[in-house]
Amino acid sequence: NKIRVKASQTNSHNDVKIASHSEQGMRTSQEDRCVVVPNVAKLPIFNNKGQRTVVIENDAKEYLHQFSIVCVFDGHSGHHVSQYLYDNFVNNLVENYSRFIGKGIQSLMIDCCENIDNDICKALRADEDSAGSTGVMAVYDGRKHVLTVANVGDSSCILCTKDGKATRVLKMHRCADEGERARIVKCNAKVMNNR
C-alpha cells in the first residue's frame, strides 16, 4: 500500500508555480512531510485563522504576496519531528514578518532552525523518542527575484534552469564526512551506522 500525494499551486503575484509529489515507499507509514506555500500572505497566521494570529499592516501584506515557501522534511525513525516541522516551521519563520520581508531571511532561517531544534530536542528527550528529520527549506522573494535555500542533514536541493541544466545548490550534511561527524559528536549526539 503505497501512499502518493500530488499537488500543484500558483501565486499570480510572483508568477511562481509549485508542484509537489510525495510517495511513502516501503515503510509502514509516511514519515516525510512537504509544506507548499505559494503565497505567504494567505497563511492562516495572517488571516485570523488557526491558533496563532499575527496582525500586519496592509503595506506589509502586499509585500508578503510576493513570497513563496517550500519545505521538505524527511522524517527519520518516525513522523513526530517532520510533523512538528510541518505544523510549526513556516509560522515560526514568518511571524516576525518585518524581519522576514526585510533583508534578514538568511539569518532568520538560521535562527528559526536553531530555535525549533532546541524545542524539538527538549520534547524528544522528555519522551525518550529517537525520531528526527532532515530538511530543505526554500523562500522565494518575488520582489527581488531571490531564492534563499537552507538545509539541515542530508536533504538537498537541485536547481533546474529552463534549458534543463541541473545544479546542486547545497552541501548535504552527511555523517560519513569526518567534519560533520565531529560536529555531531561535539553536540553530545551519537552517530550509528553513519546516521
Side-chain angles (χ1 to χ4, degrees), residues 47-169:
N47 294 289
N48 299 321
K49 299 174 184 171
Q51 295 176 332
R52 294 161 69 174
T53 301
V54 174
V55 178
I56 59 174
E57 299 90 29
N58 285 334
D59 290 348
K61 195 160 192 172
E62 288 305 311
Y63 280 129
L64 289 172
H65 281 296
Q66 295 293 323
F67 286 89
S68 299
I69 301 174
V70 176
C71 307
V72 176
F73 302 115
D74 179 6
H76 289 228
S77 299
H79 70 279
H80 303 113
V81 176
S82 56
Q83 184 65 47
Y84 183 88
L85 291 165
Y86 176 87
D87 293 336
N88 294 285
F89 184 83
V90 170
N91 284 342
N92 287 3
L93 186 66
V94 301
E95 68 186 351
N96 184 349
Y97 68 88
S98 61
R99 187 172 169 201
F100 180 81
I101 61 177
K103 296 181 180 180
I105 289 181
Q106 191 170 15
S107 64
L108 183 60
M109 288 178 84
I110 292 168
D111 291 347
C112 186
C113 286
E114 288 176 352
N115 292 337
I116 217 161
D117 183 60
N118 289 332
D119 294 343
I120 290 171
C121 287
K122 285 178 193 173
L124 291 171
R125 278 192 290 275
D127 293 342
E128 296 182 7
D129 190 338
S130 64
S133 182
T134 68
V136 63
M137 299 75 66
V139 176
Y140 177 69
D141 179 346
R143 301 169 306 158
K144 301 175 185 174
H145 305 290
V146 172
L147 178 68
T148 304
V149 184
N151 71 313
V152 176
D154 64 358
S155 287
S156 186
C157 178
I158 306 295
L159 182 64
C160 185
T161 61
K162 287 183 180 181
D163 63 357
K165 182 179 177 187
T167 306
R168 184 185 305 265
V169 294

Side-chain angles (χ1 to χ4, degrees), residues 13-26:
H13 296 275
N14 63 9
D15 294 324
V16 165
K17 295 171 183 71
I18 302 171
S20 65
H21 174 86
S22 177
E23 193 167 312
Q24 180 176 313
M26 302 304 290

